Amino acid sequence: MVAERIDDAPTALVGFARALAAAGVSVCSTRTATFLTAAAALRYDEPGAIYWAGRLSLASSPDDLAIYDAVFATYFSLDPEHDQSTVRRQAPVLQASVPLTEDSESREEPKEDSYALPPVVRARASAEEVLRNRDLASLSRAEKQEMARLLELLRPGLPERKSRRRRSHATGRIDPRRTVRAMFAAGGELAVPRRHRRRTRPRRIVLLIDVSGSMAPYADALLRFAHVVARYRPNASEVFTIGTRLTRITRSITMRDPDAALRAAADTIPDYSGGTRLGEVLHAFVDRWGHRGTARGNVVVIFSDGWERGAADELAEQVARLGRLARAVVWVNPHKGATDYAPVQSGIVAVLPHIDHFVAGHSLAALEELLDVIRHA
């Protein structure tokens, strides 16, 4: 009970600040003094008042809130059927689940005159942080909806390349034309040299997403990822699906609403959850699109687990052709995120010598790392 711990209020509150520091919260003397001042202006026997006084003065970042709630409940030994409900009515507690130490349930009720520090609280990551590292194929229906929301929050930073056009700049090479014009404008007198630098333009991103049966558990999340990338730079992105056929879905996937975009893409894809003929499909892509400029000098990202029904030599040859055209070829295999993964599939073994990056794409965190790879490709 809070009232039982505050017979000597300043000592108890300082002990609470020390408990927070022991749990990993950055608590300094200035924050502790502010907490004591705020608590002195409130009623010591109201849990909600003490709770908010400490939360506003001692918790310095959002990451500290979950730890703060757990230490508050442990230090003041709140009765879960009485005091905790009172605190929640007066000050809603975060939804993050924060388990206490293993022996916290078996500890005896602290004595009124004892203000020893409680054991260090080990805060479990929030539900959102846990979801970031979950395998996309293992999510429940509700978790998939939350994952869709988190995917829409991604902010891709796509790569750029230098253009042939130049623009005036304070540094760079001397611009002879502008310098001579400035001299004429000054009556033939010497003028400060004008300089220019080459402009930059976005480098095209080409996404090839395997929608075969083995990739079906990841297809929804990967198509939503493609929607985010395509919406960020609609004029510098191309999205295709691969399986038994090559299907261009750029127009449908760039619709503003992600759910409508996925429905339109699903209506366009004829071989969803079918077989896999990666070699033949990539051959068609290189012939129809790659040599026409879609892949030339750009970043090509292939999402596939490498299961191939056709000849592995054909797949290796087409990826090698694609590598000679593209700036970089990135192969994303969701199974690579498993701890016991080994690249033993015939398709993966065949393409590894011809790709620039081989990364995992099994979780939101892995897709964030993929964006970083694309940005620096």
Side-chain angles (χ1 to χ4, degrees), residues 131-150:
L131 192 60
R132 288 183 65 255
N133 295 279
R134 286 281 302 278
D135 193 297
L136 298 172
S138 64
L139 301 182
S140 64
R141 189 181 187 88
E143 290 172 336
K144 288 181 179 179
Q145 295 177 351
E146 179 65 13
M147 179 61 68
R149 184 188 68 83
L150 295 177

Tab-separated table of all heavy atoms in Angstrom, residues 131-150:
chain	number	residue	atom	x	y	z
A	131	LEU	N	6.592	-7.744	-31.998
A	131	LEU	CA	6.011	-8.013	-33.314
A	131	LEU	C	7.006	-7.698	-34.423
A	131	LEU	O	6.982	-8.338	-35.482
A	131	LEU	CB	4.734	-7.193	-33.484
A	131	LEU	CG	3.834	-7.550	-34.671
A	131	LEU	CD1	3.363	-8.985	-34.571
A	131	LEU	CD2	2.653	-6.593	-34.746
A	132	ARG	N	7.886	-6.716	-34.209
A	132	ARG	CA	8.864	-6.355	-35.228
A	132	ARG	C	9.794	-7.519	-35.560
A	132	ARG	O	10.299	-7.592	-36.685
A	132	ARG	CB	9.703	-5.157	-34.779
A	132	ARG	CG	8.978	-3.835	-34.775
A	132	ARG	CD	9.898	-2.697	-34.377
A	132	ARG	NE	10.963	-2.502	-35.351
A	132	ARG	CZ	12.213	-2.866	-35.179
A	132	ARG	NH1	12.574	-3.476	-34.066
A	132	ARG	NH2	13.119	-2.631	-36.110
A	133	ASN	N	10.019	-8.395	-34.603
A	133	ASN	CA	10.963	-9.488	-34.813
A	133	ASN	C	10.278	-10.840	-35.013
A	133	ASN	O	10.965	-11.855	-35.110
A	133	ASN	CB	11.918	-9.575	-33.616
A	133	ASN	CG	12.796	-8.344	-33.490
A	133	ASN	OD1	13.808	-8.220	-34.172
A	133	ASN	ND2	12.417	-7.425	-32.618
A	134	ARG	N	8.946	-10.855	-35.067
A	134	ARG	CA	8.225	-12.095	-35.290
A	134	ARG	C	8.279	-12.482	-36.766
A	134	ARG	O	8.276	-11.638	-37.656
A	134	ARG	CB	6.764	-11.924	-34.871
A	134	ARG	CG	6.535	-11.897	-33.379
A	134	ARG	CD	6.552	-13.286	-32.779
A	134	ARG	NE	5.538	-14.114	-33.407
A	134	ARG	CZ	4.255	-14.121	-33.083
A	134	ARG	NH1	3.816	-13.316	-32.120
A	134	ARG	NH2	3.422	-14.927	-33.711
A	135	ASP	N	8.300	-13.785	-37.019
A	135	ASP	CA	8.258	-14.283	-38.390
A	135	ASP	C	6.898	-13.976	-38.996
A	135	ASP	O	5.852	-14.242	-38.401
A	135	ASP	CB	8.513	-15.787	-38.406
A	135	ASP	CG	8.804	-16.307	-39.801
A	135	ASP	OD1	7.923	-16.204	-40.673
A	135	ASP	OD2	9.908	-16.813	-40.024
A	136	LEU	N	6.892	-13.401	-40.193
A	136	LEU	CA	5.652	-12.983	-40.822
A	136	LEU	C	4.710	-14.151	-41.085
A	136	LEU	O	3.491	-13.972	-41.126
A	136	LEU	CB	5.963	-12.263	-42.147
A	136	LEU	CG	6.782	-10.978	-42.028
A	136	LEU	CD1	7.191	-10.481	-43.402
A	136	LEU	CD2	5.992	-9.915	-41.284
A	137	ALA	N	5.253	-15.345	-41.250
A	137	ALA	CA	4.412	-16.503	-41.545
A	137	ALA	C	3.711	-17.045	-40.318
A	137	ALA	O	2.788	-17.851	-40.450
A	137	ALA	CB	5.260	-17.603	-42.181
A	138	SER	N	4.096	-16.633	-39.121
A	138	SER	CA	3.532	-17.183	-37.890
A	138	SER	C	2.547	-16.247	-37.216
A	138	SER	O	2.112	-16.514	-36.092
A	138	SER	CB	4.654	-17.521	-36.907
A	138	SER	OG	5.342	-16.339	-36.514
A	139	LEU	N	2.176	-15.137	-37.863
A	139	LEU	CA	1.310	-14.149	-37.232
A	139	LEU	C	-0.146	-14.594	-37.248
A	139	LEU	O	-0.606	-15.235	-38.194
A	139	LEU	CB	1.444	-12.805	-37.953
A	139	LEU	CG	2.837	-12.180	-38.012
A	139	LEU	CD1	2.784	-10.844	-38.719
A	139	LEU	CD2	3.415	-12.020	-36.615
A	140	SER	N	-0.861	-14.216	-36.199
A	140	SER	CA	-2.298	-14.457	-36.160
A	140	SER	C	-3.014	-13.401	-36.989
A	140	SER	O	-2.399	-12.467	-37.507
A	140	SER	CB	-2.794	-14.417	-34.710
A	140	SER	OG	-2.615	-13.115	-34.162
A	141	ARG	N	-4.328	-13.526	-37.084
A	141	ARG	CA	-5.098	-12.570	-37.878
A	141	ARG	C	-4.971	-11.154	-37.316
A	141	ARG	O	-4.760	-10.189	-38.050
A	141	ARG	CB	-6.565	-13.003	-37.917
A	141	ARG	CG	-7.427	-12.198	-38.884
A	141	ARG	CD	-8.868	-12.672	-38.849
A	141	ARG	NE	-9.661	-12.035	-39.883
A	141	ARG	CZ	-9.794	-12.501	-41.106
A	141	ARG	NH1	-9.179	-13.616	-41.461
A	141	ARG	NH2	-10.542	-11.868	-41.990
A	142	ALA	N	-5.090	-11.026	-35.996
A	142	ALA	CA	-4.969	-9.711	-35.367
A	142	ALA	C	-3.558	-9.161	-35.521
A	142	ALA	O	-3.371	-7.959	-35.757
A	142	ALA	CB	-5.344	-9.800	-33.890
A	143	GLU	N	-2.557	-10.025	-35.391
A	143	GLU	CA	-1.170	-9.565	-35.550
A	143	GLU	C	-0.882	-9.145	-36.985
A	143	GLU	O	-0.101	-8.214	-37.209
A	143	GLU	CB	-0.220	-10.672	-35.112
A	143	GLU	CG	-0.225	-10.925	-33.613
A	143	GLU	CD	0.576	-12.146	-33.230
A	143	GLU	OE1	0.751	-13.048	-34.087
A	143	GLU	OE2	1.030	-12.220	-32.069
A	144	LYS	N	-1.504	-9.798	-37.949
A	144	LYS	CA	-1.320	-9.385	-39.342
A	144	LYS	C	-1.898	-7.992	-39.577
A	144	LYS	O	-1.328	-7.193	-40.329
A	144	LYS	CB	-1.965	-10.395	-40.281
A	144	LYS	CG	-1.219	-11.712	-40.384
A	144	LYS	CD	-1.896	-12.655	-41.357
A	144	LYS	CE	-1.124	-13.975	-41.472
A	144	LYS	NZ	-1.786	-14.914	-42.404
A	145	GLN	N	-3.022	-7.689	-38.949
A	145	GLN	CA	-3.591	-6.354	-39.081
A	145	GLN	C	-2.679	-5.306	-38.468
A	145	GLN	O	-2.482	-4.223	-39.033
A	145	GLN	CB	-4.974	-6.318	-38.432
A	145	GLN	CG	-6.005	-7.194	-39.122
A	145	GLN	CD	-7.344	-7.190	-38.395
A	145	GLN	OE1	-7.470	-6.664	-37.289
A	145	GLN	NE2	-8.345	-7.813	-39.012
A	146	GLU	N	-2.095	-5.620	-37.305
A	146	GLU	CA	-1.158	-4.691	-36.686
A	146	GLU	C	0.117	-4.564	-37.522
A	146	GLU	O	0.675	-3.473	-37.664
A	146	GLU	CB	-0.815	-5.173	-35.275
A	146	GLU	CG	0.180	-4.305	-34.521
A	146	GLU	CD	-0.359	-2.924	-34.219
A	146	GLU	OE1	-1.578	-2.702	-34.359
A	146	GLU	OE2	0.445	-2.056	-33.832
A	147	MET	N	0.572	-5.678	-38.102
A	147	MET	CA	1.751	-5.636	-38.965
A	147	MET	C	1.507	-4.775	-40.200
A	147	MET	O	2.394	-4.045	-40.642
A	147	MET	CB	2.141	-7.055	-39.377
A	147	MET	CG	3.348	-7.135	-40.304
A	147	MET	SD	4.858	-6.459	-39.554
A	147	MET	CE	5.148	-7.675	-38.264
A	148	ALA	N	0.292	-4.846	-40.751
A	148	ALA	CA	-0.040	-4.008	-41.896
A	148	ALA	C	0.073	-2.523	-41.533
A	148	ALA	O	0.556	-1.715	-42.329
A	148	ALA	CB	-1.442	-4.332	-42.402
A	149	ARG	N	-0.342	-2.181	-40.318
A	149	ARG	CA	-0.223	-0.788	-39.879
A	149	ARG	C	1.243	-0.388	-39.726
A	149	ARG	O	1.640	0.717	-40.125
A	149	ARG	CB	-0.962	-0.601	-38.553
A	149	ARG	CG	-0.983	0.839	-38.058
A	149	ARG	CD	-1.556	0.911	-36.658
A	149	ARG	NE	-0.675	0.288	-35.687
A	149	ARG	CZ	0.370	0.904	-35.127
A	149	ARG	NH1	0.678	2.148	-35.481
A	149	ARG	NH2	1.115	0.280	-34.239
A	150	LEU	N	2.049	-1.282	-39.168
A	150	LEU	CA	3.464	-0.965	-38.976
A	150	LEU	C	4.196	-0.863	-40.305
A	150	LEU	O	5.102	-0.027	-40.468
A	150	LEU	CB	4.120	-2.039	-38.097
A	150	LEU	CG	3.614	-2.140	-36.657
A	150	LEU	CD1	4.295	-3.282	-35.934
A	150	LEU	CD2	3.833	-0.821	-35.923
